[in-house]
Amino acid sequence: MISRKRTVALIFLLLLCQLVIRRKISYVNGSTGQVLGPDFLLLSVVFAGLGRGVVWGVVTGFFIGLVQDSFAPMYFGMNALIKVMAGFVSGRVGARVFLHTSSIVFFLIVGLKYLNDLLCFMFGYMDGYRNPASQLLFFSPGSALYTSITGLILFWIMVYLNETPGRRHK
Amino acid sequence: MARLLSLIRYYNELSIFLLFFIICLLLIAIPSRFKLDHIKRFNRYILSPVQMTTVYLASIHDMEEQIDSLRSENARLALELSKSRDLRRENDRLKKLLEFIEESGVGFLPARIVSISLNEPLTTVLIDKGSADGISPYSPLMTTEGLVGKVLEADKHTSLVELFTHPQFRASAVVPSKGEMGIVRSAGSTLLLTGLSANTKINEGDRVVTSGMGGVYPEGIPIGEVVEVTEDEIGIEKVAKVLPYISLSSLFEVAVLLDEAYLDSDTTKLRRAQGSLMWLWDEGNVEERK
């Protein structure tokens, strides 16, 4: 389990990454405006859930989602809902599994990112912004892979620093 | 007991999740007429300083990238410009040389300097024309400015040229304005006109040209200008220091006077050591070339 201070620091670090370096390391399709890059916001929610449990994951997800909603043109609360779900799943996985295996982190992030995109595009489609099929087929896999690789790197760094993002269920 | 605690904790976590889940659903479900815009605006207002700072930092990084890119672009353009200037200069030089050759009406062959000797001062060069082009040893070389030297060795496609700076360079010369003759020889980067009588009337600024008496250089090729007249070591004769017209640092192309050209009296006005090229450097012709 990661200490509270370190979890907060990690969340801030990931938020800063989202603001500062995401554009630099992302591929932007000039004609459609689609961005293929790591989702640091989702990573912050995932690591909050893995490191501190469900409550941290849910609360972090809620507030980060609300901030995201403030800048999104779609339904207010939509991103918060998605991130709350991501926080809950991460917290439950973190509680169930002793997370020293990279593959669990990898597949967890891939799954959550894909779910995140699926819901986003569905809501977006309802608002008439995007076609979910093409997004899910062409952009989401790349984005999910990119995010999960970034998450893995972060996970390895934390393991190297003797932090264990995840705890055995007792 | 532990199982019960675990169960309570699980339901506690689940209840928190459900609470936030319901709040989110409510937020989504609230109709737009209830105007949640002020919450959005508040969030944006709180975050705007952070965003502005990060955008500013990102823009600094972008600017640095742009500066780097502009610097490299600038260097590339400067190189292009320099190349273009070099080409224009070369074009001008070649044009001038070809005009000179054409109007001379004699068998001049344009040649390009392909290699210079590694010795200092520069005394020999290699040109890209050889015996296959009609060049033979002792063929004189010149430019529109004046005498360059003569061919020492002619290979099939290249020739070794002895410049006027070569220690063995000798040319029979005359100062046309005074009618006095002498021998021009190399003295480093300048030339010396020797063999002048003690009461010579040669002055600074007098023009020195080949006399055609040596058998190698035809008459009338400009060599240089007298800059100083002094007595020799013994004091019997005078020596004139001559500043050559040719600048070796800007020597890239030369005109080689072919042997057959000035031995064939039917087609040219020249004959070795008899014909004169002086008319090529008449004031009118020089002005026209300029």
Side-chain angles (χ1 to χ4, degrees):
Chain A
M1 201 169 183
I2 311 173
S3 72
R4 193 176 297 167
K5 277 184 184 173
R6 289 202 173 178
T7 310
V8 174
L10 179 68
I11 291 167
F12 274 103
L13 177 75
L14 287 168
L15 290 178
L16 205 64
C17 286
Q18 177 79 11
L19 288 168
V20 181
I21 65 165
R22 185 167 183 257
R23 273 186 77 87
K24 301 283 171 199
I25 58 173
S26 297
Y27 162 73
V28 181
N29 187 330
S31 57
T32 59
Q34 289 162 322
V35 180
L36 199 158
D39 188 345
F40 286 107
L41 295 180
L42 182 73
L43 284 180
S44 63
V45 175
V46 169
F47 277 94
L50 287 177
R52 297 292 308 170
V54 170
V55 178
W56 270 75
V58 168
V59 175
T60 309
F62 179 74
F63 285 108
I64 284 178
L66 275 190
V67 169
Q68 222 178 337
D69 280 325
S70 303
F71 296 92
M74 291 177 279
Y75 295 97
F76 187 74
M78 179 201 77
N79 281 299
L81 179 75
I82 296 166
K83 295 289 187 290
V84 162
M85 287 161 69
F88 179 73
V89 174
S90 307
R92 289 312 306 158
V93 171
R96 291 270 172 203
V97 190
F98 188 66
L99 280 171
H100 269 278
T101 49
S102 308
S103 56
I104 292 174
V105 175
F106 182 81
F107 288 113
L108 175 70
I109 297 170
V110 167
L112 286 176
K113 178 64 186 162
Y114 217 75
L115 179 74
N116 182 90
D117 285 2
L118 178 72
L119 291 171
C120 270
F121 299 145
M122 278 173 64
F123 277 102
Y125 187 60
M126 281 156 62
D127 267 8
Y129 284 105
R130 288 168 180 167
N131 178 9
S134 69
Q135 295 281 339
L136 287 170
L137 279 175
F138 298 113
F139 256 77
S140 289
S143 217
L145 202 67
Y146 204 160
T147 307
S148 53
I149 289 169
T150 314
L152 260 187
I153 293 167
L154 197 63
F155 172 74
W156 287 329
I157 291 170
M158 291 170 76
V159 170
Y160 179 75
L161 296 172
N162 288 325
E163 295 290 354
T164 51
R167 55 206 161 121
R168 194 189 294 278
H169 179 70
K170 289 174 185 173
Chain B
M1 187 63 186
R3 188 178 166 80
L4 187 67
L5 278 173
S6 170
L7 207 64
I8 291 168
R9 198 173 66 189
Y10 173 70
Y11 282 112
N12 188 27
E13 287 174 348
L14 191 66
S15 58
I16 287 171
F17 165 67
L18 284 175
L19 174 71
F20 279 97
F21 190 82
I22 291 163
I23 292 171
C24 291
L25 284 180
L26 283 173
L27 284 173
I28 293 169
I30 289 172
S32 57
R33 66 173 179 275
F34 283 97
K35 303 267 182 198
L36 288 172
D37 284 354
H38 57 277
I39 302 176
K40 284 187 178 182
R41 275 198 217 106
F42 177 74
N43 277 349
R44 285 199 290 260
Y45 179 74
I46 295 289
L47 274 174
S48 58
V50 182
Q51 284 222 312
M52 279 162 71
T53 311
T54 52
V55 167
Y56 175 71
L57 289 172
S59 72
I60 286 177
H61 187 257
D62 283 347
M63 271 191 278
E64 278 173 2
E65 275 179 1
Q66 273 183 351
I67 288 169
D68 285 346
S69 142
L70 286 172
R71 271 192 191 136
S72 59
E73 180 72 7
N74 191 31
R76 193 184 64 77
L77 288 174
L79 194 69
E80 292 273 323
L81 189 67
S82 161
K83 273 184 192 169
S84 156
R85 277 184 190 150
D86 284 351
L87 283 173
R88 202 169 57 203
R89 273 193 217 114
E90 188 181 354
N91 188 38
D92 287 347
R93 282 198 317 267
L94 286 171
K95 200 175 161 190
K96 218 194 269 186
L97 189 71
L98 286 175
E99 275 172 12
F100 170 77
I101 289 169
E102 267 177 28
E103 79 187 36
S104 71
V106 247
F108 274 122
L109 181 71
R112 195 185 289 263
I113 290 169
V114 289
S115 165
I116 58 171
S117 71
L118 299 173
N119 305 321
E120 283 290 337
L122 184 63
T123 55
T124 54
V125 290
L126 202 67
I127 57 170
D128 66 345
K129 296 287 186 316
S131 56
D133 305 291
I135 292 178
S136 56
Y138 300 107
S139 296
L141 284 86
M142 60 207 77
T143 69
T144 52
E145 277 80 36
L147 185 70
V148 173
K150 67 171 187 284
V151 173
L152 272 184
E153 292 164 20
D155 299 325
K156 197 171 180 186
H157 296 294
T158 55
S159 300
L160 184 68
V161 172
E162 174 199 85
L163 298 173
F164 60 79
T165 49
H166 196 280
Q168 290 177 352
F169 173 82
R170 299 285 185 278
S172 172
V174 64
V175 179
S177 58
K178 306 287 161 52
E180 289 188 44
M181 293 179 68
I183 302 291
V184 168
R185 58 184 176 84
S186 165
S189 59
T190 58
L191 296 165
L192 289 180
L193 178 61
T194 56
L196 301 172
S197 63
N199 54 356
T200 180
K201 291 168 188 165
I202 291 174
N203 292 317
E204 285 174 25
D206 281 343
R207 182 181 161 89
V208 182
V209 301
T210 52
S211 69
M213 300 299 284
V216 176
Y217 305 106
E219 186 191 344
I221 307 171
I223 298 174
E225 198 174 281
V226 175
V227 288
E228 195 184 350
V229 182
T230 51
E231 282 188 353
D232 72 345
E233 291 162 358
I234 311 167
I236 299 172
E237 58 179 36
K238 287 203 169 173
V239 176
K241 193 174 176 184
V242 178
L243 191 68
Y245 289 125
I246 301 280
S247 165
L248 292 180
S249 61
S250 57
L251 188 65
F252 298 101
E253 297 89 16
V254 289
V256 188
L257 190 58
L258 296 176
D259 235 9
E260 70 253 32
Y262 64 114
L263 286 174
D264 183 0
S265 56
D266 293 337
T267 54
T268 67
K269 295 160 246 171
L270 286 170
R271 199 172 276 278
R272 185 191 284 264
Q274 288 178 6
S276 172
L277 287 175
M278 197 174 281
W279 60 275
L280 271 172
W281 284 276
D282 281 350
E283 275 184 23
N285 279 334
V286 171
E287 282 299 316
E288 204 175 295
R289 278 199 294 274
K290 279 179 183 173

